[in-house]
């Protein structure tokens, strides 16, 4: 009896729930940056603003091309910095520069165990490459943080869809969606 009550509750509540995760489409909006590759038209990664799709034609700001002629279509997905890559490269360069400097300083190194300051003797060979690596890593991360590049996501052309969406005010809007 209890199972029947649970089943009835689920059947009554389930139709009122909205599941938004099922629609895995992302709208391709007018004004969005796209990159088009269509060798038959002489386009190889041509960047343009998207205007819309009319039938089987991709409409860009300054041109139109048949979707059948397009080999690849990418949408702009933001920008990314290269701070981590710069930090790793800087740290590696710092260590590589620090090793010969540490070896050169090691030959001039004299340790007085009875020094007046009571500071323990640390040989320069391991400390100098580490210090150079840290300094190089910080400088590389800062430099890499200023270097930004565009990220692009490929749009599968077989999933490009056009549909008419009615609005609340009675207008009809042509919506282009791309499934990822």
């Amino acid at each position: 009896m209890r199972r029947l009550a649970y089943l009835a509750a689920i059947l009554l509540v389930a139709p009122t729930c909205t599941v938004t995760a099922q629609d895995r489409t992302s709208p391709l909006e007018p004004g969005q940056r796209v990159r088009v590759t269509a060798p038959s038209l002489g386009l190889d990664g041509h960047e343009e603003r998207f205007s819309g799709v009319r039938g089987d034609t991709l409409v860009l700001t300054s041109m139109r091309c048949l979707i059948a002629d397009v080999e690849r279509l990418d949408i702009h997905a933001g920008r990314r910095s290269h701070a981590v890559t710069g930090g790793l490269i800087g740290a590696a360069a710092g260590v590589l520069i620090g090793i010969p400097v540490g070896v050169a300083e090691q030959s001039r190194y004299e340790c007085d165990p009875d020094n007046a300051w009571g500071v323990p003797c640390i040989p320069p060979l391991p400390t100098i490459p580490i210090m150079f690596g840290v300094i190089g890593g910080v400088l590389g991360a800062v430099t890499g943080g200023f270097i930004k590049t565009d990220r692009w996501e490929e749009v599968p052309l077989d999933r490009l869809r056009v549909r008419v969406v009615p609005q609340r005010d009675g207008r009809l809007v042509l919506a282009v969606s791309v499934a990822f």
Side-chain angles (χ1 to χ4, degrees), residues 13-86:
V13 174
T16 63
C17 297
T18 304
V19 180
T20 58
Q22 289 179 352
D23 185 19
R24 298 180 58 197
T25 60
S26 172
L28 189 58
E29 299 173 3
Q32 191 171 12
R33 284 177 54 195
V34 294
R35 189 168 60 184
V36 180
T37 301
S40 62
L41 302 174
L43 302 176
D44 185 25
H46 176 73
E47 289 185 33
E48 187 84 41
R49 295 276 178 190
F50 174 76
S51 292
V53 174
R54 293 196 180 94
D56 62 348
T57 305
L58 181 68
V59 181
L60 304 173
T61 304
S62 65
M63 64 182 295
R64 297 170 188 239
C65 57
L66 292 174
I67 293 176
D69 291 337
V70 177
E71 273 188 15
R72 182 178 173 123
L73 179 67
D74 299 316
I75 59 171
H76 188 255
R79 295 178 60 85
R80 71 183 276 275
S81 76
H82 295 279
V84 173
T85 305

Side-chain angles (χ1 to χ4, degrees), residues 148-178:
K148 299 199 184 321
T149 55
D150 291 329
R151 288 185 314 120
W152 296 92
E153 291 180 2
E154 184 176 359
V155 175
L157 295 173
D158 59 336
R159 295 185 177 179
L160 191 64
R161 290 187 295 228
V162 180
R163 58 191 164 108
V164 177
V165 179
Q167 299 295 308
R168 289 184 183 172
D169 60 0
R171 296 181 303 144
L172 294 176
V173 175
L174 184 66
V176 178
S177 64
V178 180

Side-chain angles (χ1 to χ4, degrees), residues 105-180:
E105 285 297 313
Q106 185 73 27
S107 64
R108 298 182 342 169
Y109 175 69
E110 291 179 17
C111 182
D112 180 16
D114 297 324
N115 59 26
W117 302 98
V119 178
C121 294
I122 301 173
L125 183 57
T127 58
I128 289 178
I130 292 170
M131 188 173 55
F132 276 45
V134 168
I135 293 169
V138 169
L139 291 174
V142 168
T143 304
F146 286 114
I147 300 171
K148 299 199 184 321
T149 55
D150 291 329
R151 288 185 314 120
W152 296 92
E153 291 180 2
E154 184 176 359
V155 175
L157 295 173
D158 59 336
R159 295 185 177 179
L160 191 64
R161 290 187 295 228
V162 180
R163 58 191 164 108
V164 177
V165 179
Q167 299 295 308
R168 289 184 183 172
D169 60 0
R171 296 181 303 144
L172 294 176
V173 175
L174 184 66
V176 178
S177 64
V178 180
F180 288 97

